Amino acid sequence: MNSFSSVLLARYDQNKRDLPWRRTKDPYLIWLSEIILQQTRVVQGLAYYNCFSERFPTPRALAEAPEDEVLKYWQGLGYYSRARNLHAAAKSMQGEFPRTYEGVRALKGVGDYTAAAVCSIAYDMPYAVVDGNVYRVLARVFGIDTPIDSPAGKKQFTELAQKLLDKKRPGDYNQAIMDFGATVCTPAAPQCLVCPLAAVCRALADGRVEQLPVKAQKTKISNRYFHYIYVKQGENTWLHKRGAGDVWQNLYEPPLVETKTADGDYGTAPAHRRWFGRKRALLRVAPVKHVLSHRVIYADLSEITLPPSAPVPEDFMAIPVRELKKYAVSRLVQKLLEKAGVL
Ligand code: SF4
């Protein structure tokens, strides 16, 4: 075992948190935890993991559930394509989780990282994970300035990670390096003063901790402006199921009009005219800012009262307001409906 991995493993053994997915070797449950924990903090992911694994304890239970129910269990976690992929992957398993790396890698929504994590943790297979934490730790400890988002960087870091992997305890080693990156060698304010790798860390010796890892491209962030209209039609309100090709596929939401600018007049937009004619909605919730990975959404919510005879447009459904809670909605829609006092 090399000294790099022995330091990380010793630290991991001492500080290891007792988490339910660390007490099992069931590949299905480990896969579930890995998907939930992508882009989600452990504290938040834990509650979802517990509910999800209780309701869907096996691939078969998940495969047989309706998609609306799976999305409802996922509500609030964000990145809903993860839930849809999870469901599609469970359906493809025919009751049994794959037993080879290739089989796991072929599951919908599983990339190199997740396949390596699941196979090393559940099956003790020697596959090193390379995620954001691993890139950061390796770039700093070994002083590597190849951009991590370039093909050359991906190759270099993957090869190094594979070389450093502890072949006897691959699952623990992978968790140890990711845990180290998440708690000690963090993106901002890493704890170099108490770091067990400080003596061998190249970036620390060269005063380059802040500059590593290097990224070639900056992520472009775009702004979007959403105007939701909450319909009051007797006891009912209108909901629409979002389609493919945009955020929140298959989640529900009230009628939405998007404008190109913050001060765009959504009341004159063709969709608004089609649904409500010249009738204007009253603003109930002033714009809130909602940050996603590649975009910032500014959204407000207005209310419109319609007579019971007003026709419900084809792609909407009228549902009793008291049943709103049953539908999976994005966190943004949940926030707006709560602020408006209807959820
Ligand atoms: S010394 Fe600092 S930069 Fe180097 S590995 Fe430790 S925490 Fe990271």
Side-chain angles (χ1 to χ4, degrees):
M1 192 182 357
N2 57 64
S3 64
F4 177 80
S5 63
S6 62
V7 169
L8 289 182
L9 275 169
R11 183 189 164 276
Y12 180 69
D13 289 339
Q14 265 175 14
N15 300 296
K16 183 169 152 185
R17 271 187 286 178
D18 182 30
L19 296 164
W21 50 87
R22 287 189 176 156
R23 276 181 243 131
T24 179
K25 278 280 188 189
D26 181 335
Y28 166 74
L29 293 176
I30 290 166
W31 167 68
L32 199 59
S33 74
E34 285 297 333
I35 304 290
I36 288 177
L37 291 177
Q38 285 167 12
Q39 285 122 348
T40 302
R41 284 171 302 118
V42 171
V43 203
Q44 192 198 10
L46 182 57
Y48 281 86
Y49 172 85
N50 287 336
C51 292
F52 225 85
S53 57
E54 198 180 305
R55 168 62 188 89
F56 313 111
T58 60
R60 195 172 296 284
L62 180 55
E64 285 172 358
E67 186 183 71
D68 276 359
E69 191 187 0
V70 176
L71 289 173
K72 186 68 197 167
Y73 268 77
W74 200 266
Q75 182 170 308
L77 255 185
Y79 300 96
Y80 290 85
S81 55
R82 289 183 291 169
R84 288 188 297 271
N85 288 341
L86 207 59
H87 193 217
K91 283 183 173 170
S92 73
M93 286 176 204
Q94 288 162 344
E96 209 178 323
F97 197 85
R99 300 206 62 85
T100 62
Y101 176 85
E102 290 69 28
V104 177
R105 179 68 179 78
L107 293 174
K108 195 148 190 218
V110 170
D112 293 341
Y113 162 78
T114 308
V118 172
C119 291
S120 64
I121 299 170
Y123 300 139
D124 294 316
M125 289 179 183
Y127 289 95
V129 295
V130 188
D131 74 340
N133 287 311
V134 175
Y135 276 121
R136 187 169 59 255
V137 172
L138 297 185
R140 287 176 176 168
V141 174
F142 295 91
I144 304 169
D145 41 26
T146 316
I148 58 172
D149 52 349
S150 65
K154 190 165 188 257
K155 186 166 181 283
Q156 184 178 4
F157 282 96
T158 306
E159 282 171 8
L160 178 59
Q162 195 59 36
K163 206 170 105 192
L164 294 165
L165 178 77
D166 185 302
K167 308 285 187 298
K168 290 207 185 87
R169 297 176 60 192
D172 285 345
Y173 168 81
N174 279 335
Q175 293 183 87
I177 188 167
M178 289 191 287
D179 195 66
F180 178 77
T183 56
V184 180
C185 195
T186 47
Q191 299 174 30
C192 304
L193 285 177
V194 293
C195 173
L197 289 170
V200 296
C201 179
R202 209 54 260 159
L204 185 65
D206 297 347
R208 296 203 304 145
V209 173
E210 309 269 284
Q211 287 134 39
L212 294 174
V214 173
K215 254 191 163 187
Q217 291 161 13
K218 285 231 175 312
T219 314
K220 259 187 133 180
I221 305 280
S222 59
N223 290 339
R224 293 178 73 175
Y225 306 93
F226 283 13
H227 309 280
Y228 281 110
I229 298 143
Y230 175 69
V231 175
K232 271 172 94 174
Q233 190 174 33
E235 299 289 295
N236 289 348
T237 190
W238 295 358
L239 280 187
H240 160 77
K241 194 174 195 174
R242 286 184 71 89
D246 199 359
V247 290
W248 306 320
Q249 187 186 327
N250 292 357
L251 296 193
Y252 292 87
E253 65 184 7
L256 165 68
V257 180
E258 185 170 358
T259 52
K260 289 203 166 67
T261 57
D263 53 4
D265 182 9
Y266 66 92
T268 56
H272 189 280
R273 282 281 166 85
R274 204 165 55 243
W275 300 329
F276 309 116
R278 289 181 184 278
K279 204 172 168 66
R280 284 275 178 166
L282 285 175
L283 186 70
R284 282 282 297 270
V285 182
V288 296
K289 185 176 171 184
H290 190 73
V291 181
L292 298 173
S293 57
H294 295 101
R295 53 183 71 94
V296 176
I297 297 177
Y298 294 89
D300 55 35
L301 182 104
S302 301
E303 184 179 295
I304 206 162
T305 304
L306 297 179
S309 57
V312 181
E314 214 178 85
D315 42 353
F316 286 91
M317 53 191 195
I319 62 139
V321 175
R322 61 176 186 285
E323 289 183 8
L324 256 179
K325 273 197 166 62
K326 290 187 185 165
Y327 292 83
V329 296
S330 68
R331 204 171 349 190
L332 171 63
V333 166
Q334 185 178 9
K335 195 158 55 179
L336 291 169
L337 292 175
E338 279 173 1
K339 276 187 176 233
V342 292
L343 198 66

